[in-house]
Amino acid sequence: MAIIEVSNLKKSYGKLDVLKQITFDVNKNDVVAVIGPSGSGKSTMLRSLIHLEEIDGGSICVSGNHMVKDGVYAKPHEIKQITGKMGMVFQHFNLFPHLTVKENLELAPKMLKKETSAEIQQRSQELLEKIGLSNRAAAYPANLSGGQKQRVAIARALMMNPEILLFDEPTSALDPELTGEVLQVMKDLAQEQMTMIVVTHEMGFAKEVANKVMFMDNGEVVESGSPEQLFMKPQFERTKTFLNRSLK
């Protein structure tokens, strides 16, 4: 059953077409890796799913509810409900520098006021243990490594109990030696069957963890399939050229 259905997504900046008739489905528990050269529209596509970008045409349906249908958006409270099913992890962490790790995790749930403080604190402690940072709860982001910041950002997204996690190049701002610790948290989430869409340059992650890979170029989904299909038997010259460059 598709948890996300995207059809004919279009987005332009002036005369530049950033997304051209993007169509794909994501099933529950899928881990979808989105690969492609810089400037191919990957991040714009991802941001449009959580309404950080407004599209110019097409449809986005999440768990059977249309956020936008044929270019027409739902009402603001409906959009909020739909995007509330998703969490987003950004390239540059986006942590609040004046808040501790614990406060970063607990801020949004406390603002929602749907749980008691004790419940929120218990969950933040559990998530910090899960990402291996329970001893850093009182630290400020400035005192963390890049890998630690990104693990905190993942835990913060998980605090909202999302059905779907979106990752926008989560390791591209990290030194290579810190990338592994973030990818390990993401692998653990995949094993727990979290539905994820990951825009990434990490071909090893795409091969090993994803069950579906989408190759985007020039605002289009050129081809998609299992990692075996895409990496071993790419159908299109554009895919072959990109993989030849990326896998060297």
Side-chain angles (χ1 to χ4, degrees), residues 4 46 49-50 52 62 82-90 153-168 194-198:
I4 297 177
L46 196 73
L49 298 181
I50 201 163
L52 293 174
V62 181
I82 291 166
T83 56
K85 297 176 187 293
M86 294 180 270
M88 180 100 173
V89 178
F90 299 89
I154 294 170
R156 182 179 61 178
L158 289 169
M159 280 294 291
M160 303 304 286
N161 291 319
E163 295 176 24
I164 303 153
L165 268 184
L166 310 176
F167 293 84
D168 190 8
M194 170 64 77
T195 306
M196 300 194 284
I197 305 177
V198 185

Side-chain angles (χ1 to χ4, degrees), residues 2-59:
I3 195 168
I4 297 177
E5 298 166 274
V6 173
S7 57
N8 300 318
L9 217 58
K10 290 187 284 190
K11 172 76 177 176
S12 302
Y13 296 116
K15 291 182 179 176
L16 178 66
D17 294 331
V18 184
L19 300 177
K20 306 170 186 173
Q21 308 285 352
I22 298 282
T23 297
F24 64 92
D25 289 348
V26 177
N27 292 325
K28 191 171 170 56
N29 309 135
D30 272 352
V31 178
V32 180
V34 185
I35 64 172
S38 297
S40 57
K42 306 184 300 295
S43 291
T44 302
M45 177 277 292
L46 196 73
R47 289 167 65 86
S48 71
L49 298 181
I50 201 163
H51 199 226
L52 293 174
E53 296 273 359
E54 290 224 341
I55 60 163
D56 301 321
S59 303

Side-chain angles (χ1 to χ4, degrees), residues 224-242:
S224 64
S226 69
E228 294 78 22
Q229 286 172 301
L230 206 98
F231 286 107
M232 305 307 292
K233 299 174 186 170
Q235 301 294 304
F236 293 90
E237 206 54 49
R238 278 197 280 175
T239 317
K240 291 174 188 174
T241 302
F242 173 77

Side-chain angles (χ1 to χ4, degrees), residues 94-112:
N94 290 14
L95 299 176
F96 293 108
H98 62 290
L99 299 180
T100 65
V101 165
K102 183 174 184 289
E103 289 165 344
N104 263 285
L105 262 62
E106 295 177 2
L107 178 65
K110 282 180 177 174
M111 288 172 72
L112 274 182

